[in-house]
Amino acid sequence: MEPLPSWNDSAAKSAILDFVARTTANGGAEFVPPAERIAVFDNDGTLWCEYPLQVQVFFALAEVKRLAQQDPSLLKKPAFKAFLAGDLKTLTSLPKQEVFEPAFATHAGMTVEEFHANASRWLRNAEHPKLGRRFVANTYAPQRELLDHLRANGFKTYIVTGGGLEFVRVIAESHYGIPPEQVIGSSTRMKLETGEGGMVLRKLPALGSFDDRDEKVVNIALHIGRRPVFAFGNSDGDLAMLRYTLGGAGPRMAWYLHHDDAEREFAYDRDFRLSVFKDGLDHAAEYGIGLVSMKNDWKRVFAEDGNGRA
Amino acid sequence: MEPLPSWNDSAAKSAILDFVARTTANGGAEFVPPAERIAVFDNDGTLWCEYPLQVQVFFALAEVKRLAQQDPSLLKKPAFKAFLAGDLKTLTSLPKQEVFEPAFATHAGMTVEEFHANASRWLRNAEHPKLGRRFVANTYAPQRELLDHLRANGFKTYIVTGGGLEFVRVIAESHYGIPPEQVIGSSTRMKLETGEGGMVLRKLPALGSFDDRDEKVVNIALHIGRRPVFAFGNSDGDLAMLRYTLGGAGPRMAWYLHHDDAEREFAYDRDFRLSVFKDGLDHAAEYGIGLVSMKNDWKRVFAEDGNGRA
């Protein structure tokens, strides 16, 4: 089968296919050894829909009532108050880290296994309020094909997400073919507990790493230890990662997905506070980052029809 | 070739071969799917010699003079003072984290690339003061064969070390066949800097993670996200990791290497302050952890003859 069938025959598609061909041609001038073929992808807005709120924020919305009952002092925090009031306007006006705070709070006190089970249960059924389909149906078909094509050519594909590590791991293997050890993300601190049932890791109400902007590069160094050769993002939160990728010697490629498709998905960039795309958009060309237009470069957007069928 | 040729035909060798056969037999009752075949190894004292000081501490010894000239206040710290005096007695009486402090300090202010180059240069020539051979010659042949055997059977092999992430990565691929992304270890904090030459990560004089004891399990959760099925250590610092490994459902196996070979290497356990082996030794049987005797279970100890020849 021809690779990238959900991509239009555009310059972006040609450039990607050409890059993969050049870097994997044995004996070619731009050959990259298999061990160095590291590709990193942001998740929210790059691999699945993040608008009008990231999926994990919707999950937190569903969870946060339970938390506020346990600890009413949480209601003093603007993000929690806005959450409970369903006040999207306030939420989208707050800094990203603050908006994610309730999301991280929904982990606290649970073991890693409990959190995973809880998030899995929610993700099986929860629906996107505007698209009217399950959240998990909103992964992007062209990106899943791109991940497959990279892997078929010996690339190791990673997710590097501002979202929670364990949250994204719930769907990473089933939906993107990416195993848990190749998911890098935000994390809470954890504590090892030894009880009657053996050892468990309990999540603490304290942020370990907020995997956004520069921290994405730091975490790539900690988890991978190599500079990627291919990177894909969609917001200013990914800019450091894309520039870091392009900064190495030899062939490199980095892309931004531009959400310019109000018809099939959403059109947003500079004004989306929760995942601003402004510096990246203004300076992409200067930095050598390519722009993929959802509207023009993609033949098809979503990987599933909303009922779980591919 | 028969697997594990440097192991004597002991019960330990049979148990390992049997475990690998059982967990990889298609359709067998104890079959473990390839994606879940995670094996974790401590490094110092498990994969290479750590006595009378861990290799990275010797590296720090060589580096610390330069540091003390830059910042004389360091001399107030007991570990630094003992380092400069070559006072092994004091050093081995300090807590492990304190002894590693000068080692982490030797990273500070360098970029990741500079540190790597510096450590590589040192490791190419530096010699073990008692064994009279290069440090890199002191990896264990039986363990390298075990890593190979596990990988040949679809296991993904990881190092989970109290040593520094970047230090161990210098030799992990060349000596153990373990790529940088499968090395988990202690780390300093880092800062991303954007300068004329592009982006670099600079190491800060602050500990990020001290990957010892419970923290090994926390870091396994962060980096791998799966409970290992096979684990190997040699000290109390590995006990949490070994017990966590054994605590999962299905077939599991965990080993301790016991340094009881004063003739070919060293004999030490309870009294070695820098890597105490006491709780683990006393309770191994109770926890279901096997003991490998260097003296009795290994036909041969070191992988190289000291001149870099295998």
Side-chain angles (χ1 to χ4, degrees), chain A residues 134 137 139 141 144 300 302-310:
Chain A
R134 295 188 310 142
T139 62
R144 290 173 64 162
R300 177 181 161 217
F302 297 115
E304 297 176 25
D305 64 5
N307 297 307
R309 287 186 292 270

Side-chain angles (χ1 to χ4, degrees), chain A residues 78-94:
Chain A
F80 278 85
K81 226 164 94 181
F83 258 77
L84 284 175
D87 178 1
L88 294 195
K89 199 168 160 232
T90 301
L91 271 182
T92 50
S93 76
L94 294 169

Side-chain angles (χ1 to χ4, degrees), chain A residues 35 38 112-113 156 158 165-166 169 173 179-183 187-192 194 197 199-201 208 214 217-218 220-227 239-241 243-244 247, chain B residues 35 38 112-113 156 158 165-166 169 173 179-183 187-192 194 197 199-201 208 214 217-218 220-227 239-241 243-244 247:
Chain A
I38 303 289
V112 172
E113 284 82 0
K156 205 164 181 176
Y158 281 84
L165 196 56
E166 284 100 0
R169 279 177 178 160
E173 192 145 41
E181 63 268 30
Q182 283 159 234
V183 178
S187 55
T188 60
R189 293 198 178 280
M190 288 184 275
K191 190 181 177 303
L192 185 67
T194 308
M199 283 177 157
V200 292
L201 284 164
D214 290 8
V217 178
V218 169
I220 285 171
L222 285 175
H223 287 249
I224 309 180
R226 298 190 208 261
R227 200 185 281 248
L239 185 53
M241 173 171 88
R243 293 187 64 195
Y244 179 70
Chain B
I38 303 288
V112 171
E113 283 82 1
K156 204 163 180 175
Y158 280 83
L165 195 57
E166 284 100 1
R169 279 176 178 161
E173 193 145 42
E181 63 268 30
Q182 283 158 233
V183 177
S187 55
T188 60
R189 293 198 178 280
M190 289 185 274
K191 190 181 177 304
L192 185 67
T194 307
M199 283 177 157
V200 292
L201 284 163
D214 290 7
V217 178
V218 169
I220 285 171
L222 285 176
H223 287 249
I224 308 180
R226 299 190 209 261
R227 201 185 280 249
L239 185 53
M241 174 170 88
R243 292 187 64 196
Y244 179 70

Side-chain angles (χ1 to χ4, degrees), chain A residues 89-138:
Chain A
K89 199 168 160 232
T90 301
L91 271 182
T92 50
S93 76
L94 294 169
K96 190 170 178 182
Q97 181 157 353
E98 214 167 296
V99 178
F100 269 81
E101 207 179 286
F104 295 127
T106 58
H107 299 205
M110 287 188 187
T111 67
V112 172
E113 284 82 0
E114 286 163 356
F115 175 81
H116 189 98
N118 202 31
S120 300
R121 198 164 39 233
W122 183 81
L123 275 165
R124 259 198 300 279
N125 300 305
E127 286 197 2
H128 191 286
K130 298 201 183 230
L131 295 172
R133 336 152 6 109
R134 295 188 310 142
F135 287 109
V136 291
N138 299 330

